[in-house]
Amino acid sequence: MELINEIVDLIAAFLIFLGSIIAVISAVGIVKFQDVFLRSHASTKSSTLSVLLTLVGVLIYFTNEQSFFSVRLLLSIVFINLTSPVGMHLVARAAYRTGAYMYRKDDVPRQSTILLSSKEYNTKEELETRAKMREKHRQKLYYESQLERKKDKEVKQDD
């Protein structure tokens, strides 16, 4: 029985360690990525996984060591995994609608650095031009969809 307890403790420690490693990877992604959309992806996907692994490891440890099953811990796992992606989706959607800078592969930085986020090499005019182009494209798509809806309504009324 002692061997089984040690194996379960080792599994819990491994999950906590894996969760902390993924949290470090998430932090590096937040620093390294260039725009709000990539950063939100790094902060949501990997940090949610790291919190999940860490809390599952803690849940296993306390269940094994103290024979104590924490409902609060289980609820925190559920709520973090539900609310974190939804919240970051709303942040990314707000950034997109306000015309935030969006990184593209053809955007070549003018200098080579490790931390591209610490130095933005795009001028304000370039960012504004790109945001205006995105907004024109979005309005064009919206206008075309509105015309199609009007045509569909007219066809239905004629029938």
Side-chain angles (χ1 to χ4, degrees):
M1 195 63 165
E2 185 69 28
L3 181 65
I4 293 175
N5 286 340
E6 288 183 19
I7 291 173
V8 172
D9 286 345
L10 183 65
I11 290 171
F14 178 73
L15 288 174
I16 293 170
F17 178 71
L18 190 61
S20 63
I21 294 296
I22 292 174
V24 169
I25 292 170
S26 174
V28 169
I30 291 170
V31 171
K32 186 166 174 62
F33 288 146
Q34 289 88 356
D35 67 345
V36 68
F37 306 104
L38 295 173
R39 287 178 182 158
S40 68
H41 181 75
S43 68
T44 303
K45 300 291 183 183
S46 56
S47 68
T48 302
L49 179 63
S50 69
V51 168
L52 173 73
L53 289 174
T54 303
L55 291 180
V56 167
V58 169
L59 184 69
I60 290 171
Y61 177 78
F62 281 122
T63 303
N64 185 42
E65 285 296 315
Q66 299 177 356
S67 299
F68 175 72
F69 184 78
S70 175
V71 176
R72 290 181 189 169
L73 200 56
L74 189 63
L75 286 175
S76 66
I77 290 170
V78 169
F79 287 127
I80 287 173
N81 284 316
L82 288 176
T83 58
S84 179
V86 172
M88 196 49 74
H89 171 75
L90 293 174
V91 169
R93 191 168 94 180
Y96 182 76
R97 287 185 175 180
T98 58
Y101 166 71
M102 187 181 299
Y103 174 77
R104 295 188 181 144
K105 277 190 171 182
D106 57 350
D107 291 347
V108 179
R110 296 188 182 115
Q111 293 180 356
S112 176
T113 63
I114 294 173
L115 299 176
L116 291 174
S117 62
S118 65
K119 300 176 183 174
E120 287 291 340
Y121 296 111
N122 295 305
T123 64
K124 185 177 180 182
E125 292 80 23
E126 290 173 336
L127 295 176
E128 288 175 354
T129 304
R130 193 174 304 136
K132 286 178 185 176
M133 288 173 51
R134 247 193 344 267
E135 186 60 31
K136 284 180 185 177
H137 179 69
R138 200 173 356 191
Q139 286 177 353
K140 179 183 171 190
L141 291 176
Y142 177 75
Y143 179 71
E144 289 173 357
S145 68
Q146 291 296 328
L147 285 177
E148 288 178 15
R149 288 180 187 167
K150 286 181 182 179
K151 288 180 184 178
D152 290 342
K153 285 182 181 178
E154 290 173 0
V155 168
K156 287 181 181 178
Q157 288 177 356
D158 291 339
D159 292 338

